[in-house]
Amino acid sequence: MEIGTVAGLAARLARGAPPRSFERLVTHAGIGIVGDVHADALSPRQLLLASSGAYADFDLPMHALRENLLIDADTAQLASGTVLQIGAEVRLRMMFQCEACGQLDATAPRLAQRIGKRRGMLARVLAGGVIRLGDQVCDLGMLESAWSDDWRERVRQVLDAAPDGTVIEYRALARLAGIQSSYCRAFPRLLARLGERYAATAVSSQSPVALPRWEGAGLFERF
């Protein structure tokens, strides 16, 4: 089912660089946008899709939401696990809604609080190819497993996927769950609440535990 078209394309080619507009972007399956700083095989945050309606409703300047794809459809209504076909080649797996962080407040007062789930939807590339301005966006339905918008639930989901007899270091856990490394400070308390099994599976980089470190291989194929 067609739900809209691509109204804008952007990528960030270096850390700290502002988003740059493009007429076409090249994507690789399982990695993301070629040349973009968020291209990462082990991240659920390879692309960000935002709605042109959010820009209109909040009177935002270009690239304020730092999206890669601007589409004329409401991204807040997209469900995790949905697959979108972009143009003739590219398929994107919707992962979870992007949390509105305080950095948005530099654009407009209290924007992070006001925009809520309309910040955009994060996605991974299932099938790569070229995305062009004006490409049709089609909803192919719920074809993949759903991920939670709640980062705590994503941490649990990643830990549940860890192979028996392995541990995962905090930074790798944050990367796989799609959260900033600063959240690592919250892991000990969260893991204690989740239970002994979870607390034993996630370790700091200085941990003397001799078990193999799992870095996430196969996670997104399994879930």
Side-chain angles (χ1 to χ4, degrees):
M1 177 180 66
E2 182 180 347
I3 62 171
T5 58
V6 175
L9 294 169
R12 292 174 57 209
L13 306 184
R15 295 287 176 184
R20 175 181 164 191
S21 294
F22 292 87
E23 293 188 357
R24 62 196 294 274
L25 292 174
V26 179
T27 63
H28 279 181
I31 298 176
I33 297 169
V34 175
D36 186 75
V37 295
H38 291 294
D40 180 356
L42 294 178
S43 172
R45 307 174 65 98
Q46 293 176 352
L47 292 89
L48 176 62
L49 292 77
S51 169
S52 56
Y55 272 83
D57 292 344
F58 293 95
D59 192 25
L60 300 176
M62 182 181 294
H63 301 317
L65 300 180
R66 304 176 78 81
E67 76 285 345
N68 301 111
L69 272 67
L70 186 65
I71 62 175
D72 53 5
D74 186 0
T75 58
Q77 298 304 313
L78 294 174
S80 178
T82 299
V83 175
L84 298 185
Q85 176 87 31
I86 313 293
E89 302 174 314
V90 178
R91 293 198 307 276
L92 302 180
R93 173 186 178 180
M94 302 298 102
M95 297 301 296
F96 47 86
Q97 296 291 338
C98 185
E99 183 178 358
C101 65
Q103 292 180 342
L104 294 178
D105 293 344
T107 300
R110 298 174 51 254
L111 178 59
Q113 178 182 349
R114 291 186 291 119
I115 202 166
K117 287 190 174 182
R118 299 190 68 190
R119 165 73 188 274
M121 187 78 170
L122 291 156
R124 282 179 56 87
V125 180
L126 290 179
V130 180
I131 302 176
R132 298 175 176 84
L133 285 175
D135 275 350
Q136 291 184 345
V137 179
C138 294
D139 185 340
L140 302 184
M142 293 277 293
L143 304 180
E144 299 286 337
S145 299
W147 280 53
S148 176
D149 291 341
D150 187 329
W151 67 271
R152 301 165 190 83
E153 289 300 317
R154 298 200 300 272
V155 166
R156 183 200 293 267
Q157 188 168 8
V158 172
L159 292 173
D160 283 339
D164 292 340
T166 68
V167 293
I168 181 170
E169 293 187 0
Y170 288 169
R171 282 188 174 273
L173 178 56
R175 177 186 182 190
L176 295 167
I179 56 181
Q180 296 179 0
S181 58
S182 59
Y183 282 64
C184 292
R185 296 192 297 268
F187 283 168
R189 181 176 297 180
L190 171 63
L191 295 169
R193 290 202 301 268
L194 291 177
E196 183 178 348
R197 180 174 69 86
Y198 292 98
T201 303
V203 299
S204 70
S205 59
Q206 292 81 32
S207 172
V209 173
L211 292 173
R213 266 55 172 170
W214 181 58
E215 304 231 341
L219 172 66
F220 300 106
E221 290 73 33
R222 180 177 175 185
F223 291 110

